[in-house]
Amino acid sequence: MKRLCLPLVLAALGLGCAGSIYRGAFSLSTPSSDATVLAAVADRVRVAAPAPLPPVAAIVADDPAQGLAVIDLGTAAVLGRVAAPIASRPVVAGDLVLARSGGSIVAWSLSGAERWRFPDEGLDLVGASRDGERVAVVLGGAGVTRRRGVLRVVEAGDGSAVARTEIAHSLGLPTLVGDDVFVPWDGQNLSVLDARTGDERSRVRSRDDVVGFSFREGHAVYYGARALYRLGPESASGTAEGTPHYQPRRDELPGAAPFALDAYTSLRAGADARERVRLVWRPDPTQPGVALLHNTVFALYHRDVFALDAQTGALRWAYVSPNDLAGVSVVRAGLVVVDDRGGASLLSPDDGRARWRQALPGAGPQAVLQLPSDFSPAPNTDDPPRTLVQSLLEAAGGSDARLLPAQRFAAQSLAALPGAPATAALVSLLTRRALSPELRAVVGEGLVGRTEGTDAMLEALDHHYDYVRGVDVPPVGFLARALARAHERRAVSALVSHLFDPATPTDDLAPIVVALRELGDPSSLQSLADFVRMYHADVGAVAPVGGGDAIIERDITEQGQLNAAVEQAIEAIARMGGAPERSLLDRVQSHPSAPEVVRAAAARVRDGAAPEAPSENPPGSAAETPATGPSDMSFGAPAGRLSPDAIDGAMTPHRAEILACLRNAPSRPAQLRVQFRYDGDGRVSNVSVMPAAFQQCVAPLVAQVQLPTSLAVRELGTWICPTAQ
């Protein structure tokens, strides 16, 4: 008898003897809908008329406990104020503003009057969407791994319940269109529910991408997370390849700006860094497939905006706001930005110039904008035109340490531009006193290898340190390398003057000497010989004024840099000089006070590496032909040293291990600049890493690398390690 009852029990549970499976709303066993069903859903969206949106900004106070203000961006009038404490980023849904406040989800009218509330059930506000007389609200917001979410559909007028669903899944940003509620969940699914009953009507299941948001734009519904998809019959494939979509073309943007914010993790009220570093875009539903307004993606980094071609990733313009940006939105007229001091601007999509400015009667660190795509205030300003070089120069400058990733991106973009104006801008940056060491390295490396605009480099090289006139030491090392690569012999006399200038930093001496060697101008030979005579036995020992034992005033690093410069000068003399110069090298080789590395360098060239006669630098020689490819300290050094390609070939297999040092770093540099010593057996020592923050982790790894063997005795090497994944 008990066995006969079992089928009845199973049937009552909806399972049955055949093992039928329950497939309701948000069930894991519900399959993705076919193309016909999804086409019908898209058709319902297409014929549903979207409600007009008032152009407003909900601006949270500096202290979110003081509430928010609602401002009409068209008239700059305050529509209303909310005095209640705000615990979550507000959501503007038509003529309502929703936020978590005091243990409830509260809806206010744009005038600030409370319309309704319901308990927050211990969950954050994820998002809300209004259409007609209903509002869909999703609660959750603790991340995609927290499997609890609540979907409520309520009447817009009084908040009375229409439908409620609580599930053991994480829910994303909802969209309400007519009787359809689009709800992403668990990072993989987009379910379409009946707003009246909560029953599931259809589903899209992604098999190779993430789904976190959904929203309506015009007569289309879009969804996605790392890419943007347009809902249609193609969505039935569940694959990126089978569904029209858009994905950004650049991944080295400042702060690794995400395509969209994590929809499963709620933003807090007030300043939230996640809102300040992201991509900003808006789809154009009038175009087939997935297209963006202006074919542009805007990369936001606190107060900087970089406009990128959506298809190629090419940089179009840069904009630097005087204050941090609290809210940004794309419209057909351009890009609307609201800063945290209450300034609103409309930037032209073509060149980033402000066409409209408005001082708002409210300010705060967070501005949630609701703007119809046709929002277009009358122009009231006309900024002068600016070139891309000018805008990048402004973005790369400044002293705000938070903006270093944006400054680095701007400097690298500037270095990628051809032409003399870009070179002049890089030189201008490089000579700024406030430039951080990391940014200085990026700008300097960007300058090396440029052949256009050498006049700007020469002009910078003409300056010498002058305390009285407030003239800083120019970046001689980078300028020397760049001018040598450009084979600019007009630089010889200026380089020689800096070689003997006491204000020239010690680490710039070797690049100066190498540049003189590579330029090969006979007029520099005597100066190089004088340099060797002056410093070949200088170990930094200075006798006290009152007598006594000499004191070493030079640290090990500086001594190594000076020795390196003397070594390079010896190599240059051996290449360019004749018998008189070789006699100098004989004296250096036998001088008892000269450092061992200097004596070894002199011995090496005297044993056969030195040319028998001065180099005439015939056409086509290394001195006459500008170098190509990566630059290092050796500038295409003679046989016996390792080439940049040889160094790169030995270092690159260890790149993944080296890049592991950058994990969890607050700021990821675009490249690591590694300088070191190596000997003929390929042993690496004296490793120096820029940025210096990674020295402790990277230096031991580089020191273990085995380079190819060579004729080098003690040579300088440089390796540039790109950090893009």
Side-chain angles (χ1 to χ4, degrees):
M1 185 65 181
K2 292 181 180 179
R3 294 178 62 187
L4 293 175
C5 290
L6 183 58
L8 297 177
V9 175
L10 295 175
L13 293 175
L15 300 177
C17 293
S20 61
I21 300 173
Y22 168 73
R23 291 176 175 172
F26 302 111
S27 169
L28 294 174
S29 61
T30 301
S32 182
S33 300
D34 61 27
T36 303
V37 172
L38 293 177
V41 174
D43 284 342
R44 292 200 297 270
V45 174
R46 181 174 51 81
V47 299
L53 298 176
V56 298
I59 300 180
V60 178
D62 289 330
D63 178 4
Q66 302 301 313
L68 57 82
V70 181
I71 298 175
D72 187 320
L73 287 180
T75 63
V78 176
L79 299 179
R81 297 187 185 274
V82 172
I86 307 298
S88 68
R89 181 183 188 271
V91 176
V92 183
D95 63 354
L96 295 176
V97 178
L98 290 83
R100 190 183 188 192
S101 177
S104 298
I105 303 300
V106 185
W108 297 274
S109 68
L110 299 184
S111 65
E114 182 176 324
R115 286 274 190 89
W116 44 263
R117 67 171 59 211
F118 57 76
D120 62 21
E121 305 184 47
L123 300 173
D124 284 330
L125 174 63
V126 174
S129 175
R130 177 175 181 176
D131 191 41
E133 296 305 316
R134 290 192 289 255
V135 180
V137 182
V138 164
L139 306 181
V144 72
T145 59
R146 178 170 176 175
R147 306 291 180 168
R148 185 192 172 204
V150 174
L151 168 66
R152 281 179 175 263
V153 180
V154 301
E155 294 291 346
D158 58 10
S160 58
V162 176
R164 179 186 179 279
T165 304
E166 180 174 354
I167 59 169
H169 298 291
S170 51
L171 303 181
L173 296 177
T175 298
L176 178 62
V177 181
D179 292 331
D180 290 324
V181 185
F182 300 81
V183 185
W185 56 282
D186 280 3
Q188 186 181 9
N189 305 284
L190 176 69
S191 287
V192 185
L193 309 181
D194 189 315
R196 299 161 296 184
T197 64
D199 295 334
E200 186 161 350
R201 290 180 159 186
S202 55
R203 176 180 299 186
V204 173
R205 174 170 292 163
S206 175
R207 291 186 280 166
D208 58 6
D209 207 346
V210 180
V211 180
F213 62 74
S214 67
F215 64 90
R216 180 187 192 180
E217 183 67 37
H219 294 276
V221 165
Y222 296 86
Y223 64 95
R226 297 177 302 197
L228 180 65
Y229 297 84
R230 182 170 180 163
L231 185 72
E234 301 89 350
S235 301
S237 72
T239 65
E241 182 179 0
T243 310
H245 68 284
Y246 170 77
Q247 196 160 12
R249 297 295 183 262
R250 296 185 72 153
D251 57 3
E252 77 283 12
L253 298 172
F259 179 63
L261 297 176
D262 178 7
Y264 294 101
T265 304
S266 296
L267 295 170
R268 62 176 180 266
D272 193 316
R274 289 172 292 173
E275 281 191 282
R276 304 286 179 89
V277 182
R278 59 190 174 100
L279 298 184
V280 182
W281 41 268
R282 189 168 190 164
D284 185 353
T286 65
Q287 300 297 318
V290 181
L292 302 186
L293 280 180
H294 315 299
N295 189 35
T296 301
V297 173
F298 303 91
L300 170 65
Y301 195 85
H302 293 284
R303 62 179 58 183
D304 294 350
V305 178
F306 299 94
L308 308 166
D309 186 287
Q311 299 304 318
T312 66
L315 187 60
R316 291 178 171 171
W317 50 262
Y319 169 79
V320 180
S321 168
N323 304 298
D324 282 4
L325 296 177
V328 182
S329 182
V330 182
V331 295
R332 292 193 177 276
L335 183 71
V336 176
V337 298
V338 175
D339 67 41
D340 61 2
R341 293 295 179 266
S345 301
L346 173 64
L347 308 182
S348 166
D350 300 322
D351 55 17
R353 286 191 290 168
R355 298 299 191 186
W356 167 83
R357 287 195 179 95
Q358 181 67 58
L360 302 179
Q366 188 175 55
V368 180
L369 307 185
Q370 175 183 266
L371 296 176
S373 62
D374 60 357
F375 177 74
S376 183
N380 61 9
T381 186
D382 188 18
D383 288 353
R386 287 167 26 112
T387 65
L388 178 57
V389 168
Q390 290 171 325
S391 63
L392 286 175
L393 178 59
E394 181 182 7
S399 57
D400 190 336
R402 296 175 309 149
L403 303 182
L404 178 59
Q407 293 169 337
R408 184 171 56 236
F409 176 78
Q412 291 169 334
S413 300
L414 195 56
L417 296 178
T423 301
L426 289 170
V427 172
S428 172
L429 276 174
L430 201 56
T431 55
R432 294 185 182 183
R433 176 182 299 181
L435 205 65
S436 68
E438 181 178 349
L439 189 57
R440 187 178 301 277
V442 172
V443 176
E445 293 297 339
L447 188 65
V448 174
R450 298 185 68 89
T451 58
E452 299 175 289
T454 56
D455 285 348
M457 302 185 209
L458 293 170
E459 182 180 352
L461 205 59
D462 282 339
H463 295 284
H464 285 258
Y465 174 74
D466 190 319
Y467 175 80
V468 175
R469 293 183 174 85
V471 179
D472 287 331
V473 179
V476 184
F478 285 118
L479 292 172
R481 293 174 57 199
L483 289 164
R485 286 290 300 271
H487 193 61
E488 182 56 84
R489 284 194 171 184
R490 290 183 296 167
V492 169
S493 61
L495 289 173
V496 167
S497 68
H498 282 286
L499 184 63
F500 292 97
D501 188 335
T504 299
T506 311
D507 60 349
D508 282 346
L509 296 177
I512 293 174
V513 173
V514 172
L516 291 172
R517 184 189 73 201
E518 293 305 309
L519 290 172
D521 193 305
S523 66
S524 64
L525 180 59
Q526 184 59 50
S527 297
L528 290 169
D530 291 342
F531 181 77
V532 171
R533 290 189 187 95
M534 184 177 296
Y535 292 109
H536 71 277
D538 186 347
V539 293
V542 179
V545 175
D549 294 335
I551 299 173
I552 304 297
E553 290 192 338
R554 189 177 296 128
D555 62 29
I556 295 176
T557 300
E558 285 186 314
Q559 186 63 50
Q561 293 165 346
L562 179 60
N563 291 345
V566 175
E567 288 181 71
Q568 298 291 344
I570 289 172
E571 295 279 0
I573 291 170
R575 174 190 289 189
M576 300 164 59
E581 288 74 28
R582 285 200 295 274
S583 65
L584 169 63
L585 301 185
D586 287 337
R587 294 194 298 274
V588 171
Q589 179 183 351
S590 59
H591 198 294
S593 298
E596 176 59 32
V597 293
V598 172
R599 295 201 304 270
R604 181 172 70 249
V605 297
R606 289 297 295 131
D607 289 341
E612 292 300 323
S615 170
E616 298 297 333
N617 298 320
S621 69
E624 285 293 334
T625 305
T628 59
S631 172
D632 78 344
M633 291 292 293
S634 63
F635 290 92
R641 296 192 185 95
L642 295 179
S643 68
D645 288 342
I647 292 175
D648 187 65
M651 293 290 185
T652 297
H654 304 272
R655 180 170 172 267
E657 187 179 5
I658 290 170
L659 292 185
C661 294
L662 276 64
R663 290 176 186 161
N664 302 320
S667 174
R668 185 183 182 92
Q671 62 184 19
L672 297 175
R673 186 170 186 266
V674 183
Q675 286 189 300
F676 51 88
R677 288 280 194 173
Y678 65 91
D679 60 20
D681 294 328
R683 291 187 293 262
V684 175
S685 61
N686 300 93
V687 180
S688 174
V689 181
M690 286 294 292
F694 303 103
Q695 172 79 22
Q696 185 175 3
C697 181
V698 173
L701 300 176
V702 173
Q704 296 174 12
V705 174
Q706 177 63 47
L707 297 178
T709 58
S710 66
L711 298 178
V713 175
R714 183 174 169 82
E715 190 55 69
L716 284 171
T718 299
W719 179 54
I720 303 300
C721 175
T723 63
Q725 297 289 357

